Amino acid sequence: MKATALRRLWPALVLMVPTLGMAADPPPIQLPAPQHRGGMPLMEALSARHSSREFAPRPLPRRVLSDLLWTAFGINRPDSGGRTAPSAHNWQEITVYLAMAEGLYRYDARNNRLVPVLGRDIRALTGTQDFVATAPLDLIYVADLNAMKGAGEQDRLLYSAADTGFIAQNVYLYCASAGLNVVVRGSIDRSALAKAMGLGRGQRVVLSQTVGYPKR
Ligand SMILES: Cc1cc2nc3c(=O)[nH]c(=O)nc-3n(C[C@H](O)[C@H](O)[C@H](O)COP(=O)(O)O)c2cc1C
């Protein structure tokens, strides 16, 4: 293309660039405000808590996602940024990812929104069991080991696993209360999943957890 033709096209190209960017980068999904009241009494939720491995494919509504994620690792003390689950040294090193049919998202607790990470369905890579590919939601707990300042290698692994356990139990109790099926899972090809998610050095997949409505 001649330089003069390019100069004529330039204003149109400049206008197109942001549009192209938007197509590749969908905006975050704003979740409705989570409900901090109601649900099953704690002792009843503990009585009902159990693992299930059968899920209807029906997607979870956004209000359910919002309550589920807030219960998992949401902010319950806005002044200090404290979370619904404890973490060693308050490192808050666990990020909750959501693998759904429409793509991979990251839970942004402070803004109560889902930040798009990948525009493709990677549910099948979140575990070695068949149901993970068709259940509506596979949560993936990823530890940022670099955020655990001052800890040795062994403590980083120990504490990030323990911190994930608290989050996963919160999810179990929410699911018991909301009539959802759930199972936490460690049987994962972690390197294949980390590669698909584009994780960096120091980011480690700890566990995954599948959530969905019971099969009728
Ligand atoms: C760290 C951890 C890893 C687990 N990994 C798997 C898994 O990969 N696949 C699975 O189906 N269940 C997995 N489970 C669920 C257990 O099998 C289940 O909790 C156990 O059988 C007790 O059943 P309950 O949760 O109904 O009490 C895991 C549980 C934990 C705590």
Side-chain angles (χ1 to χ4, degrees):
M1 187 184 289
K2 286 207 173 120
T4 45
L6 189 61
R7 262 200 298 278
R8 268 204 303 276
L9 272 175
W10 188 245
L13 287 173
V14 168
L15 282 174
M16 274 170 70
V17 167
T19 324
L20 291 173
M22 274 167 64
D25 248 348
I29 297 174
Q30 190 62 51
L31 295 170
Q35 293 180 330
H36 296 174
R37 293 185 183 281
M40 201 180 254
L42 177 62
M43 297 314 229
E44 287 175 34
L46 282 164
S47 302
R49 189 215 67 82
H50 68 285
S51 298
S52 314
R53 295 169 187 82
E54 288 200 337
F55 302 89
R58 180 155 66 102
L60 300 172
R62 286 187 187 175
R63 80 181 154 71
V64 172
L65 287 180
S66 175
D67 290 354
L68 170 73
L69 292 166
W70 182 78
T71 311
F73 202 37
I75 292 177
N76 65 354
R77 288 154 290 164
D79 290 349
S80 64
R83 302 289 191 105
T84 54
S87 62
H89 292 265
N90 197 23
W91 275 316
Q92 301 188 5
E93 77 282 3
I94 305 299
T95 298
V96 181
Y97 288 82
L98 298 88
M100 301 186 285
E102 59 268 46
L104 179 71
Y105 294 83
R106 172 175 63 78
Y107 175 45
D108 172 0
R110 188 158 290 283
N111 297 300
N112 189 38
R113 62 186 188 173
L114 304 182
V115 179
V117 176
L118 283 178
R120 67 189 178 91
D121 182 358
I122 63 157
R123 287 176 297 170
L125 291 171
T126 68
T128 58
Q129 292 156 289
D130 288 348
F131 61 80
V132 305
T134 51
L137 173 64
D138 294 302
L139 298 169
I140 307 158
Y141 302 119
V142 175
D144 177 4
L145 302 179
N146 296 327
M148 307 172 85
K149 303 278 180 236
E153 179 67 20
Q154 265 205 326
D155 279 351
R156 286 177 204 235
L157 297 179
L158 174 71
Y159 288 138
S160 60
D163 294 345
T164 300
F166 291 108
I167 298 172
Q169 177 70 350
N170 283 356
V171 170
Y172 263 110
L173 292 177
Y174 172 77
C175 289
S177 167
L180 293 165
N181 277 1
V182 57
V183 63
V184 71
R185 297 179 288 99
S187 176
I188 304 166
D189 179 343
R190 287 183 173 75
S191 51
L193 180 55
K195 194 169 168 209
M197 294 174 74
L199 298 183
R201 279 171 67 86
Q203 283 184 297
R204 183 171 184 273
V205 173
V206 184
L207 293 172
S208 185
Q209 193 167 22
T210 305
V211 180
Y213 291 103
K215 269 189 176 164
R216 292 252 174 258

